[in-house]
Amino acid sequence: MTSTDTLVVVPPEQVVPTGRLTRLIATSRQLVSFGAIGAFCFLVDLGVYNLLRFTVLDDKPIAAKVGSAVISTAVAWVLNRSITFRAERTSGRRETLREGALFALTNLIGLGIAAACLFVSHYLLGFTSTLADNVAGNGVGLVLGTVFRFAAYKALVFRSRDARRTKELTE
């Protein structure tokens, strides 16, 4: 700074984020929302599983787990569609069905990632304790599957043409 330069202090509320910062803020908000919905749906899955397991499917734990996974996935789709990716979701019956199918497929792949981590740890590396299985499947596998799901939702599932066109016009 030279003696002729004037220092201007801009209050934080007058700073308007642009470009990369705007996208970073938007993605950060989506990540927080996505994480909160994921935590809620984990509780839905757990609750529905136990409800089914201790009532109508008391002797069928696999059926109870499949039922709870289907219900929690449906809840996750509705909440992510309505909250996290509301600006990118599709409109129209055909597009919405496509979005739902891609969401289900993405979740199956995410489950496969977690199962693959458990398989590698348990069968290939020989870590067979309950703790090792939980770390591999519910730790590493869950994190990798979640990262994959978020990226796939953003890139493939919630990608309406209208939302892309609006984003291109604003950039």
Side-chain angles (χ1 to χ4, degrees):
M1 243 169 86
T2 65
S3 62
T4 59
D5 290 337
T6 306
L7 181 64
V8 178
V9 177
V10 179
E13 62 272 4
Q14 290 182 359
V15 174
V16 179
T18 59
R20 288 185 189 170
L21 184 57
T22 302
R23 286 191 298 273
L24 180 63
I25 290 169
T27 300
S28 296
R29 287 182 179 155
Q30 283 182 322
L31 280 168
V32 168
S33 175
F34 177 76
I37 290 168
F40 175 74
C41 289
F42 172 76
L43 295 175
V44 168
D45 186 22
L46 187 66
V48 171
Y49 172 76
N50 283 300
L51 179 68
L52 292 173
R53 184 74 173 87
F54 295 110
T55 58
V56 296
L57 297 173
D58 63 334
D59 60 341
K60 297 179 179 158
I62 303 299
K65 186 58 186 168
V66 169
S68 71
V70 167
I71 290 170
S72 67
T73 299
V75 170
W77 179 57
V78 169
L79 292 178
N80 275 301
R81 185 173 205 282
S82 302
I83 299 169
T84 306
F85 298 103
R86 69 180 167 272
E88 292 91 1
R89 69 181 178 209
T90 57
S91 59
R93 185 180 194 144
R94 185 175 182 170
E95 294 84 8
T96 302
L97 289 173
R98 178 189 160 280
E99 183 184 275
L102 282 172
F103 189 88
L105 178 63
T106 299
N107 277 282
L108 283 173
I109 294 169
L111 174 62
I113 290 169
C117 289
L118 178 58
F119 178 85
V120 168
S121 173
H122 192 92
Y123 294 105
L124 299 181
L125 300 177
F127 298 122
T128 58
S129 70
T130 302
L131 176 62
D133 286 350
N134 274 293
V135 167
N138 295 319
V140 176
L142 182 67
V143 169
L144 293 177
T146 299
V147 168
F148 166 78
R149 278 191 290 276
F150 182 77
Y153 294 167
K154 203 161 175 56
L156 300 172
V157 178
F158 298 104
R159 296 297 300 171
S160 78
R161 289 189 179 105
D162 293 336
R164 269 187 265 149
R165 217 174 289 121
T166 302
K167 277 186 178 179
E168 289 168 0
L169 292 174
T170 59
E171 290 181 351

